[in-house]
């Protein structure tokens, strides 16, 4: 319901902007943004445009690896991108990101210290955190025998044809590594190959109905699969349309991630990019975004105020069980790990194995 209301407001604003018109294209200021699907309250785009006069060209990529490929091939003409931690570290190492002028981003002060000085940007030169969350298993309680607690389920033949594996090499191999008891940041070739064999064997045995990214929404909401490996925030979106769904961070541990806004070194609209980042980093924008996309905010005020914001908006208390799936408590995060940027030879191995898997 809340997304229906948000979409209606967005359509009304688009109509109003169409009727009132804008300045000439020659005078138009622009910012080109690339993020993920289902990952922003669209009203924020229109609000930013109305407040600043800056036109937002908003595009999406399906994964960090797909985004990296777009950047390396020159297919994406972006100013602001929103990659995940490990990909940010890679882009910094390859000198592809611009250092930010934080004087133009005063809302950076509202980002909780927990999400600063992290391994991917230890000196806080390149990033402003956007969201954070966990990776886990989404499952349909009417289609499994018991609550899912282990990564074993993602490789179990008894669910053959009913499992959706994520179409992302880093995440898919992480599930296998964790199931085998290995570190998800391992550089040990033998361990990575063993994880690949576990994944390839399950694929060969027909465990996987499909390897998916955004298609997961339709499939899980429609009851077309028993389980999927995906992200907590997206689970909460799916839950609105299918109350039979549940979410688990497996007992073997998982990945907790931070996605952050960055400006590319070759950005053509750096001033506009920093205006966009500052706008999105505000408490007001973070509250709206949390309410729409169900991903936890790194803005300390927004994270604290959200339960009251929800109750004021909807006239009922926020289910704190759902809140703790969105903003995982320390006892969950303590068994989760951030991805690190892997050495080039390990990245090559990942790419080769993913190609061999034939996805």
């Amino acid at each position: 319901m809340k997304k229906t209301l948000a979409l209606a407001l967005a359509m009304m604003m688009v109509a109003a902007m169409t009727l009132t018109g804008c300045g000439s294209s020659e005078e138009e200021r622009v910012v080109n943004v690339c993020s993920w699907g289902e990952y922003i309250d669209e009203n924020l785009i229109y609000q930013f445009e109305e407040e600043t006069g800056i036109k937002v060209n908003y595009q999406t990529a399906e994964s960090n690896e797909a985004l990296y490929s777009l950047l390396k091939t020159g297919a994406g003409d972006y100013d602001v991108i929103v990659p995940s931690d490990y990909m940010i570290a890679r882009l910094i190492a390859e000198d592809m990101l611009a250092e930010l002028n934080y004087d133009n981003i005063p809302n950076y002060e509202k980002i909780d210290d927990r999400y600063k000085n992290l391994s991917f940007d230890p000196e806080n030169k390149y990033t402003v955190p956007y969201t954070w969350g966990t990776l886990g298993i989404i499952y349909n309680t009417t289609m499994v025998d018991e609550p899912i607690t282990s990564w074993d389920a993602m490789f179990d033949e008894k669910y053959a044809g009913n499992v959706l594996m994520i179409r992302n090499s880093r995440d898919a191999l992480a599930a296998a590594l964790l199931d085998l008891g290995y570190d998800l940041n391992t550089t040990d070739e033998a361990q990575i190959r063993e994880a690949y064999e576990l994944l390839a064997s399950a694929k060969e045995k027909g465990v996987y109905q499909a390897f998916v990214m955004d298609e997961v929404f339709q499939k899980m909401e429609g009851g077309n699969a028993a389980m999927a490996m995906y992200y907590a925030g997206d689970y909460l979106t799916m839950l609105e349309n299918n109350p039979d769904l549940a979410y688990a961070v497996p007992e073997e541990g998982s990945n907790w991630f931070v996605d952050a806004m960055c400006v590319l070194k070759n950005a053509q609209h750096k001033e506009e990019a920093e205006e966009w980042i500052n706008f999105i980093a505000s408490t007001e924008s973070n509250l709206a975004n949390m309410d729409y996309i169900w991903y936890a905010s790194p803005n300390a005020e927004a994270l604290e105020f959200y339960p009251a914001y929800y109750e004021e908006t909807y006239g009922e208390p926020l289910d704190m069980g759902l809140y703790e799936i969105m903003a995982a408590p320390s006892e969950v995060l303590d068994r989760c790990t951030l991805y690190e940027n892997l050495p080039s030879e390990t990245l090559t191995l990942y790419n080769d194995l993913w190609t061999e898997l034939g996805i």
Side-chain angles (χ1 to χ4, degrees):
M1 177 61 70
K2 67 182 183 182
K3 290 198 173 183
T4 302
L5 292 171
L7 182 59
L9 288 171
M11 293 175 67
M12 289 170 62
M13 189 168 289
V14 170
M17 291 175 67
T18 303
L19 291 172
T20 57
C22 300
S24 68
S25 59
E26 293 181 352
E27 300 172 355
E28 192 172 57
R29 298 175 68 202
V30 173
V31 62
N32 301 311
V33 180
C34 185
S35 186
W36 315 124
E38 302 279 342
Y39 212 38
I40 192 171
D41 177 354
E42 294 93 339
N43 286 321
L44 292 174
I45 297 174
Y46 308 125
Q47 183 181 339
F48 177 78
E49 291 180 330
E50 187 173 42
E51 290 182 6
T52 66
I54 298 171
K55 170 66 177 176
V56 180
N57 294 319
Y58 192 90
Q59 301 176 56
T60 62
E62 75 164 16
S63 68
N64 283 286
E65 288 69 26
L67 172 62
Y68 180 80
S69 179
L70 287 171
L71 297 178
K72 294 300 284 187
T73 60
D77 181 21
Y78 311 127
D79 301 307
V80 180
I81 56 173
V82 192
S84 302
D85 32 52
Y86 72 96
M87 185 55 67
I88 292 169
R90 183 174 185 180
L91 296 173
I92 292 172
E94 297 183 17
D95 196 29
M96 294 175 67
L97 298 183
E99 292 191 17
L100 299 177
N101 181 352
Y102 289 93
D103 290 341
N104 296 331
I105 311 172
N107 285 324
Y108 181 69
E109 294 181 0
K110 297 181 179 180
I111 302 299
D112 193 292
D113 287 344
R114 178 170 190 159
Y115 310 104
K116 296 178 179 178
N117 302 107
L118 293 173
S119 58
F120 59 89
D121 187 12
E123 298 181 50
N124 300 317
K125 291 183 177 181
Y126 302 94
T127 60
V128 174
Y130 179 70
T131 59
W132 63 276
T134 60
L135 176 67
I137 299 175
I138 301 167
Y139 62 97
N140 190 314
T141 58
T142 69
M143 300 174 70
V144 300
D145 298 335
E146 56 189 2
I148 301 298
T149 60
S150 170
W151 287 114
D152 286 348
M154 293 298 298
F155 309 97
D156 195 333
E157 287 183 72
K158 75 177 179 180
Y159 297 117
N162 262 322
V163 179
L164 303 174
M165 176 55 80
I166 197 166
R167 192 171 64 240
N168 173 326
S169 60
R170 190 69 191 266
D171 288 336
L173 284 166
L177 286 166
L178 289 165
D179 193 52
L180 293 166
Y182 299 140
D183 183 346
L184 52 70
N185 288 312
T186 184
T187 58
D188 185 304
E189 181 174 346
Q191 293 179 353
I192 295 169
R193 288 190 178 277
E194 186 180 351
Y196 164 77
E197 292 299 335
L198 177 60
L199 189 62
S201 175
K203 178 176 180 286
E204 183 179 350
K205 293 174 181 176
V207 172
Y208 304 126
Q209 180 186 119
F211 283 69
V212 299
M213 292 301 293
D214 286 346
E215 314 94 287
V216 71
F217 290 93
Q218 177 269 323
K219 286 180 175 291
M220 292 304 294
E221 289 173 357
N224 298 316
M227 72 184 71
M229 179 181 183
Y230 225 65
Y231 310 107
D234 293 320
Y235 157 70
L236 293 168
T237 294
M238 296 176 209
L239 184 64
E240 293 183 23
N241 296 314
N242 187 341
D244 292 330
L245 300 180
Y247 177 81
V249 174
E251 59 194 7
E252 299 92 350
S254 189
N255 164 243
W256 81 276
F257 59 86
V258 176
D259 290 351
M261 296 176 284
C262 317
V263 176
L264 288 165
K265 197 164 189 177
N266 61 357
Q268 299 300 303
H269 311 99
K270 189 169 189 289
E271 180 181 339
E272 290 82 359
E274 290 177 342
E275 285 191 55
W276 168 260
I277 290 173
N278 187 59
F279 172 82
I280 294 297
S282 71
T283 299
E284 296 75 16
S285 292
N286 273 266
L287 284 168
N289 240 359
M290 287 178 71
D291 194 54
Y292 189 82
I293 67 174
W294 283 111
Y295 274 86
S297 169
N299 178 307
E301 290 180 346
L303 200 61
E304 178 185 354
F305 297 163
Y306 182 66
Y309 173 94
Y310 182 96
E311 186 167 358
E312 181 180 346
T313 302
Y314 301 106
E316 61 183 23
L318 174 65
D319 183 329
M320 296 308 290
L322 299 183
Y323 181 71
E324 290 193 353
I325 290 175
M326 175 173 63
S330 57
E331 56 266 29
V332 174
L333 293 180
D334 285 347
R335 66 176 193 269
C336 295
T337 307
L338 276 175
Y339 286 140
E340 297 174 3
N341 182 32
L342 300 172
S344 59
E345 58 269 22
T346 305
L347 292 173
T348 298
L349 176 61
Y350 265 72
N351 290 338
D352 290 348
L353 292 175
W354 197 245
T355 299
E356 188 175 338
L357 194 62
I359 305 304

